[in-house]
């Protein structure tokens, strides 16, 4: 599989329209340089996974890291892609070096000066630079030099993709407009269009002056740390988790809950399902998201009203009722989309950890039809201090980051923070559709050196297959464990396409069958780990 990642957490990123656009890995286009905050957000802060095909090899976004070949401490080092980062003083110093040991020390110090987070395992500037080197090699194919050391490649490594790239005329023009932090913020870089396949930079002196005036483009200076490794905002729960307890409102729905609280037999004219998802909230509470689902063929209409009540087992706790006019909201436009077979309504409430009876229902005001269900509910305590995961939600649709649209003081249904999540009701996904999931990680210990968590996340996909040796059906791995290291974000969101296999080519896609996704999160600081397994089905 092509395995691409990016991170996201409760914020609408600049220039990111939908956040979870499937990237098949063909042409990764980065924003105009130096909007590095956006690039880092896309590559680190929002965990987007795009898996392009089953059993075709997993590749991280940084897979095929060119530094393994091009950053070796030899006399040719200064002629590599990194030459655009070398200052005149560093070039003079390099020319005086005599031994391999001297060159190795120079290279080590070179990157150390460009490390925005010294003392941590990561060098964010170097990671970004070498990612761009791989991009430049692919984007700027030359007849002689590699793309990253061509004139266009060197400009790309420093400035990124231009805002505008008009069709070439006598010159090839790259127009950079309104670049944040760069002085001047708008300018044009020109290349000769006649170069035998090797366009040459024109006006080099002016270009060099821009780079010299903005030393952070080379990873140097105090501004570089702010741009390449901005201090993260404190990990906060999505705003929805801060909601106040629902107020008691006398409505037709609350009366229905009162009348049926003790009944053994509940109204069943409208069959329904209820999904519960739990997250950490404030003051030791948990945040419960309730999704009520009705098949369209059973609904008789779309103007339904959902309601629910949590009845605690503990006698000193009060019931929580969601029966006001705005307690539940429909999923739109999904409910109006003809191909969708479900009508979804969602509400949420903060609840003390403990055991409850959940009583939920839906009413059709037009016909008077009514359906209700009763089911036990255990509200998790996420304030134990031990490493824990929220509910892992397999989603029929996952979009973000985008700004929720809620009224003042209201939470937005189908949103967790800035992610819009339409949960799957049966964890069944068609070939060619997207498989998505969302979860949060709690109580990870901060790394003393960085002040942030250091998490390792392992993903395993298993398919139910016949173990011929034992003549029994069991879940067997279909890929090697996929390990993501040095994670600092405690909010994870992923989406990838279930590519349909090509006939006659085993391993080219997701075959029909019963699967299991196993997610293991390890806190590298406390050495604690936690695992959750999620079954899902792939159908034609």
């Amino acid at each position: 599989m092509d395995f691409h990642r990016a991170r996201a957490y409760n914020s609408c990123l600049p220039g990111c329209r939908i956040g979870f656009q499937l990237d098949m890995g063909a042409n990764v286009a980065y924003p105009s340089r130096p909007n590095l905050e956006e690039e880092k957000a896309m590559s680190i802060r929002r965990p987007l996974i795009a898996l392009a095909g089953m059993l075709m090899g997993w590749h991280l976004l940084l897979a095929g890291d060119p530094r393994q070949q091009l950053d070796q401490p030899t006399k040719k080092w200064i002629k590599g892609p990194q030459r655009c980062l070398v200052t005149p003083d560093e070039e003079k110093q390099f020319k005086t070096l005599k031994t391999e040991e001297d060159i190795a020390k120079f290279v080590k110090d070179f990157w150390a000066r460009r490390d925005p987070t010294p003392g941590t395992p990561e060098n964010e500037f170097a990671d970004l630079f070498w990612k761009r080197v791989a991009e430049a090699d692919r984007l700027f194919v030359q007849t002689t030099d590699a793309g990253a050391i061509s004139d266009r490649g060197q400009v790309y490594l420093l400035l990124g993709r231009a805002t505008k790239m008009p069709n070439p005329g006598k010159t090839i023009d790259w127009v950079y407009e309104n670049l944040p932090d760069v002085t001047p913020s708008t300018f044009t870089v020109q290349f000769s269009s006649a170069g035998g396949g090797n366009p040459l930079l024109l006006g080099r002196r002016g270009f060099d002056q821009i780079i010299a005036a903005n030393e952070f483009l080379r990873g140097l200076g105090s501004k570089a740390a702010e741009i390449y490794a901005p201090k993260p905002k404190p990990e906060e729960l999505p705003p929805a988790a801060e909601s106040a307890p629902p107020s008691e409102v006398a409505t037709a729905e609350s009366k229905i809950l009162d009348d049926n609280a003790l009944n053994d037999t509940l109204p069943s004219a409208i069959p329904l399902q209820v999904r519960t998802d739990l997250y950490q909230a404030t003051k030791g509470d948990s945040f419960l998201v309730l999704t009520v689902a009705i098949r369209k063929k059973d609904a008789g209409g779309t103007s339904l009203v959902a309601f629910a009540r949590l009845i605690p087992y503990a006698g000193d706790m009060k019931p929580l009722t969601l029966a006001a006019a705005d307690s539940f909201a429909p999923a739109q436009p999904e409910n109006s989309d003809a191909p969708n077979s479900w009508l979804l309504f969602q509400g949420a409430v903060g609840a003390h950890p403990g055991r409850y009876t959940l009583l939920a229902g839906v009413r059709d005001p037009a016909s008077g039809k009514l359906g209700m269900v009763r089911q036990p509910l255990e509200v998790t305590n996420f304030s134990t201090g031990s490493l824990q995961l929220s509910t892992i939600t397999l989603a029929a649709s996952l979009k973000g980051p985008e700004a929720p649209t809620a009224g003042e003081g209201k939470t937005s249904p189908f949103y967790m923070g800035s992610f819009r999540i339409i949960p799957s009701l049966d964890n069944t996904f068609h070939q060619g559709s997207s498989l998505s999931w969302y979860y949060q990680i709690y109580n990870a210990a901060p790394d003393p050196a960085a002040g942030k968590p250091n998490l390792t996340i392992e993903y395993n996909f298993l398919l139910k297959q016949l173990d011929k040796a034992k003549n029994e059906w069991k879940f067997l791995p279909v890929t090697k464990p996929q390990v993501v290291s040095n994670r600092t974000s405690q909010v994870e969101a992923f989406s990838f396409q279930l590519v349909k296999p090509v006939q006659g080519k085993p391993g080219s896609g997701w075959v029909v069958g019963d699967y299991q996704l196993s997610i293991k999160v390890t806190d590298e600081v406390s050495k604690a780990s936690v695992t959750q397994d999620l079954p899902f089905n792939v159908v034609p």
Side-chain angles (χ1 to χ4, degrees), residues 86 102 127 242 356 446 527:
V86 178
D102 291 340
D127 290 344
E242 307 288 345
Y356 293 81
K527 300 304 179 183

Side-chain angles (χ1 to χ4, degrees), residues 134-154:
E135 283 299 304
D137 281 342
R138 181 175 54 78
L139 292 171
F140 310 116
V141 179
Q142 301 279 115
T143 57
T144 53
D145 295 334
I149 61 176
S150 68
D151 282 4
R152 288 181 299 169
Q154 292 282 281

Side-chain angles (χ1 to χ4, degrees), residues 53-110:
M54 190 66 172
L55 296 177
M56 296 180 66
W58 293 63
H59 302 285
L60 288 172
L61 190 58
L62 298 180
D65 193 339
R67 81 185 82 185
Q68 301 300 325
Q69 292 78 37
L70 300 175
D71 200 29
Q72 298 302 311
T74 68
K75 291 184 177 181
K76 294 183 179 180
W77 178 89
I78 203 167
K79 296 181 180 180
Q82 56 270 32
R83 70 187 186 192
C84 65
L85 304 179
V86 178
T87 67
D89 288 342
E90 288 173 328
E91 185 176 6
K92 292 178 183 178
Q93 181 186 354
F94 188 87
K95 290 180 179 179
T96 65
L97 304 178
K98 304 298 183 183
T99 66
E100 290 185 0
E101 290 77 11
D102 291 340
I103 295 175
K105 184 178 185 304
F106 176 91
V107 171
K108 181 179 178 181
D109 292 343
F110 177 89

Side-chain angles (χ1 to χ4, degrees), residues 250-328:
T251 62
E253 287 70 36
S254 63
K255 186 177 185 305
I256 292 171
L257 289 166
D258 293 338
D259 293 342
N260 289 276
L262 301 178
N263 289 350
D264 292 332
T265 303
L266 297 175
S268 57
I270 304 178
L272 69 149
Q273 294 184 24
V274 180
R275 176 188 172 91
T276 60
D277 295 283
L278 286 161
Y279 304 91
Q280 188 180 55
T282 58
K283 301 177 181 179
D285 283 351
S286 297
F287 186 67
L288 171 65
V289 178
L290 296 169
T291 304
V292 175
I294 309 97
R295 291 190 180 275
K296 287 184 177 179
K297 64 181 182 63
D298 298 325
T302 59
S303 300
L304 303 179
V305 178
F307 51 93
R309 176 174 290 167
L310 275 70
I311 305 171
Y313 281 30
D316 59 345
M317 294 169 58
K318 295 182 179 180
L320 299 171
T321 301
L322 290 84
D326 58 354
S327 292
F328 282 83

Side-chain angles (χ1 to χ4, degrees), residues 43 66 127 199 220 241 257 288 320 322 353 366 422 427 433 443 497 502 508:
S43 63
D127 290 344
L220 299 171
L257 289 166
L288 171 65
L320 299 171
L322 290 84
I422 304 296
N427 291 353
S433 68
N443 308 318
Q497 186 182 23
V502 178
S508 61

